[in-house]
Amino acid sequence: MKPLTIVSSRTPAGPLLEVAGDLDHSNAQQLRQAAAGAVLSAGLLLVVDLGELGFCDSSGITALIAVRNHVVAAGAGLVLVAVPETLRRLLSLTGLDQVFDLRDSHRLQAY
């Protein structure tokens, strides 16, 4: 297992969380806490970069749903970028690809 790391920064669109390592039942709460710590308001986007994500179990997917719910409650938007193919497939199989905004890049022009 790869340890989970979450690096927080800002983009012109809003906060950015860069998630790396394995997202599972032992650390999914870290993602929820990182999202809760992001300053969000109406019109901003929380960008979650998953390009370095190695593994994601059902607890990780549940954490992503919780993050989305938090963001929506704040009146902001959520974008998942650089989603690994295995996670993209799981999101598609569960219909969550219709719930999440999936993008290839977190560059501003991508929005």
Side-chain angles (χ1 to χ4, degrees), residues 62-77:
T62 300
L64 288 170
I65 293 168
V67 167
R68 181 189 176 278
N69 293 343
H70 168 72
V71 169
V72 169

Side-chain angles (χ1 to χ4, degrees), residues 17-102:
L17 299 178
E18 294 175 273
V19 181
D22 294 342
L23 179 60
D24 60 26
H25 69 281
S26 69
N27 57 27
Q29 188 62 27
Q30 289 178 339
L31 179 59
R32 293 176 188 207
Q33 291 170 344
V39 177
L40 295 169
S41 61
L44 289 181
L45 287 175
L46 173 62
V47 179
V48 179
D49 185 334
L50 300 173
E52 296 299 318
L53 186 70
F55 173 79
C56 183
D57 71 3
S58 60
S59 298
I61 291 173
T62 300
L64 288 170
I65 293 168
V67 167
R68 181 189 176 278
N69 293 343
H70 168 72
V71 169
V72 169
L78 174 66
V79 177
L80 303 180
V81 298
V83 179
E85 189 56 40
T86 54
L87 179 55
R88 192 178 281 264
R89 185 164 187 263
L90 281 173
L91 294 174
S92 176
L93 289 171
T94 58
L96 290 171
D97 62 334
Q98 302 301 306
V99 174
F100 291 105
D101 185 355
L102 307 176

